[in-house]
Coordinates of all heavy atoms in Angstrom, one line a residue:
T14 N 300.3 126.8 -2.0 CA 299.6 128.1 -2.4 C 298.2 127.8 -2.8 O 298.0 126.9 -3.6 CB 300.4 128.8 -3.5 OG1 301.7 129.0 -3.1 CG2 299.7 130.1 -3.8
I15 N 297.2 128.5 -2.2 CA 295.8 128.4 -2.6 C 295.3 129.7 -3.0 O 295.8 130.8 -2.6 CB 295.0 127.8 -1.5 CG1 295.1 128.7 -0.2 CG2 295.4 126.3 -1.2 CD1 294.2 128.2 0.9
G16 N 294.4 129.7 -3.9 CA 293.8 131.0 -4.4 C 292.3 130.9 -4.4 O 291.7 129.9 -4.9
V17 N 291.6 131.9 -4.0 CA 290.2 132.0 -3.9 C 289.7 133.3 -4.5 O 290.0 134.4 -3.9 CB 289.6 131.9 -2.5 CG1 288.1 131.9 -2.4 CG2 290.1 130.6 -1.8
F18 N 289.1 133.3 -5.7 CA 288.7 134.5 -6.3 C 289.8 135.5 -6.4 O 289.5 136.8 -6.1 CB 287.4 135.1 -5.6 CG 286.2 134.3 -5.8 CD1 285.6 133.7 -4.6 CD2 285.7 134.0 -7.0 CE1 284.5 132.9 -4.7 CE2 284.5 133.2 -7.1 CZ 283.9 132.6 -6.0
G19 N 291.0 135.1 -6.7 CA 292.1 136.1 -6.9 C 292.8 136.4 -5.6 O 293.9 137.0 -5.6
T20 N 292.3 135.9 -4.4 CA 293.0 136.1 -3.2 C 294.0 134.9 -3.0 O 293.5 133.8 -2.8 CB 292.0 136.2 -1.9 OG1 291.2 137.3 -2.2 CG2 292.8 136.4 -0.7
I21 N 295.3 135.1 -3.1 CA 296.3 134.1 -3.0 C 296.9 134.0 -1.7 O 297.3 135.1 -1.1 CB 297.4 134.3 -4.1 CG1 296.7 134.3 -5.5 CG2 298.5 133.2 -4.0 CD1 297.6 134.7 -6.6
T22 N 297.0 132.8 -1.1 CA 297.5 132.7 0.3 C 298.5 131.5 0.3 O 298.2 130.5 -0.3 CB 296.3 132.4 1.2 OG1 295.4 133.4 1.2 CG2 296.8 132.2 2.6
K23 N 299.6 131.6 1.0 CA 300.5 130.6 1.2 C 300.3 130.0 2.7 O 300.0 130.8 3.6 CB 301.9 131.0 1.1 CG 302.3 131.4 -0.4 CD 303.8 131.7 -0.4 CE 304.2 132.1 -1.9 NZ 304.1 130.9 -2.8
F24 N 300.3 128.7 2.9 CA 300.2 128.2 4.2 C 301.1 126.9 4.3 O 301.6 126.4 3.4 CB 298.7 127.7 4.4 CG 298.3 126.6 3.7 CD1 298.1 125.3 4.4 CD2 298.0 126.6 2.4 CE1 297.7 124.2 3.7 CE2 297.5 125.5 1.7 CZ 297.4 124.3 2.4
D25 N 301.4 126.6 5.6 CA 302.3 125.5 5.9 C 301.9 124.9 7.3 O 302.1 125.5 8.3 CB 303.7 125.9 5.9 CG 304.7 124.8 6.0 OD1 304.2 123.6 6.2 OD2 305.9 125.0 5.9
V26 N 301.3 123.7 7.3 CA 301.0 123.0 8.5 C 301.6 121.6 8.4 O 301.3 120.8 7.6 CB 299.5 122.8 8.7 CG1 299.1 122.1 10.0 CG2 298.7 124.2 8.6
T27 N 302.6 121.4 9.3 CA 303.4 120.1 9.2 C 302.7 119.1 10.1 O 301.9 119.3 11.0 CB 304.8 120.3 9.8 OG1 304.8 120.6 11.2 CG2 305.5 121.5 9.1
P28 N 303.1 117.8 9.9 CA 302.6 116.7 10.8 C 303.1 117.0 12.2 O 302.3 116.5 13.1 CB 303.3 115.5 10.2 CG 303.5 115.7 8.8 CD 303.8 117.2 8.7
I29 N 304.2 117.6 12.4 CA 304.6 117.9 13.8 C 303.7 118.9 14.4 O 303.4 118.8 15.6 CB 306.1 118.4 13.8 CG1 307.1 117.3 13.4 CG2 306.5 118.9 15.2 CD1 308.5 117.7 13.2
D30 N 303.2 119.9 13.7 CA 302.2 120.8 14.1 C 301.0 120.1 14.6 O 300.3 120.4 15.7 CB 301.8 121.8 13.1 CG 303.0 122.8 12.7 OD1 303.8 123.0 13.6 OD2 303.0 123.2 11.6
I31 N 300.6 119.1 13.8 CA 299.4 118.3 14.2 C 299.6 117.6 15.5 O 298.8 117.5 16.4 CB 299.0 117.3 13.1 CG1 298.6 118.0 11.8 CG2 297.9 116.4 13.5 CD1 297.4 118.9 11.9
L32 N 300.8 117.0 15.6 CA 301.1 116.3 16.9 C 301.2 117.2 18.1 O 300.7 116.8 19.2 CB 302.5 115.5 16.7 CG 302.5 114.3 15.8 CD1 303.9 113.7 15.7 CD2 301.6 113.2 16.5
K33 N 301.7 118.4 17.9 CA 301.8 119.3 19.0 C 300.4 119.7 19.5 O 300.3 120.0 20.7 CB 302.6 120.6 18.6 CG 304.1 120.4 18.5 CD 304.8 121.6 18.0 CE 306.3 121.4 18.0 NZ 307.0 122.7 17.5
N34 N 299.5 119.7 18.6 CA 298.1 120.1 18.9 C 297.2 118.9 18.9 O 296.0 119.0 18.7 CB 297.6 121.1 17.9 CG 298.4 122.4 18.0 OD1 298.2 123.3 18.9 ND2 299.3 122.6 17.1
L35 N 297.7 117.7 19.3 CA 296.9 116.5 19.2 C 295.7 116.6 20.1 O 294.6 116.1 19.9 CB 297.8 115.3 19.5 CG 297.3 113.9 19.2 CD1 297.0 113.9 17.6 CD2 298.1 112.8 19.6
G36 N 295.8 117.3 21.2 CA 294.7 117.4 22.2 C 293.6 118.2 21.6 O 292.4 118.0 21.9
N37 N 293.9 119.1 20.6 CA 292.8 119.9 19.9 C 292.5 119.3 18.6 O 291.8 119.9 17.8 CB 293.3 121.3 19.8 CG 293.6 122.0 21.1 OD1 292.9 121.8 22.1 ND2 294.6 122.8 21.2
Y38 N 293.1 118.1 18.2 CA 292.9 117.6 16.9 C 291.4 117.4 16.5 O 291.0 117.7 15.4 CB 293.7 116.3 16.8 CG 293.9 115.8 15.3 CD1 294.3 116.7 14.3 CD2 293.5 114.5 15.0 CE1 294.5 116.3 13.0 CE2 293.7 114.1 13.7 CZ 294.2 114.9 12.7 OH 294.3 114.5 11.4
L39 N 290.7 116.9 17.4 CA 289.2 116.7 17.1 C 288.5 118.0 16.9 O 287.5 118.0 16.2 CB 288.6 115.9 18.2 CG 289.0 114.4 18.4 CD1 288.3 113.8 19.6 CD2 288.8 113.6 17.1
D40 N 289.1 119.1 17.4 CA 288.4 120.4 17.2 C 288.6 120.9 15.8 O 287.9 121.7 15.2 CB 289.0 121.4 18.2 CG 288.6 121.1 19.6 OD1 287.5 120.5 19.8 OD2 289.3 121.5 20.5
V41 N 289.8 120.5 15.1 CA 290.1 121.0 13.8 C 289.8 120.0 12.7 O 289.8 120.3 11.6 CB 291.6 121.4 13.7 CG1 291.9 122.4 14.7 CG2 292.5 120.2 13.8
L42 N 289.5 118.7 13.1 CA 289.1 117.7 12.2 C 287.6 117.4 12.2 O 287.2 116.8 13.1 CB 289.9 116.4 12.5 CG 289.8 115.2 11.6 CD1 290.4 115.5 10.2 CD2 290.5 114.0 12.2
D43 N 287.0 118.0 11.2 CA 285.5 117.8 11.2 C 285.1 116.4 10.5 O 284.0 116.0 10.7 CB 284.9 118.9 10.4 CG 285.0 120.2 11.1 OD1 285.1 120.2 12.3 OD2 285.1 121.3 10.4
G44 N 286.0 115.8 9.8 CA 285.7 114.6 9.2 C 286.9 114.0 8.4 O 287.7 114.7 7.9

Side-chain angles (χ1 to χ4, degrees):
T14 302
I15 57 176
V17 182
F18 293 116
T20 301
I21 299 175
T22 301
K23 292 183 180 295
F24 74 104
D25 187 354
V26 180
T27 70
I29 294 176
D30 294 331
I31 297 294
L32 284 174
K33 286 180 178 178
N34 295 281
L35 199 58
N37 298 323
Y38 193 49
L39 292 179
D40 293 333
V41 302
L42 185 64
D43 293 330

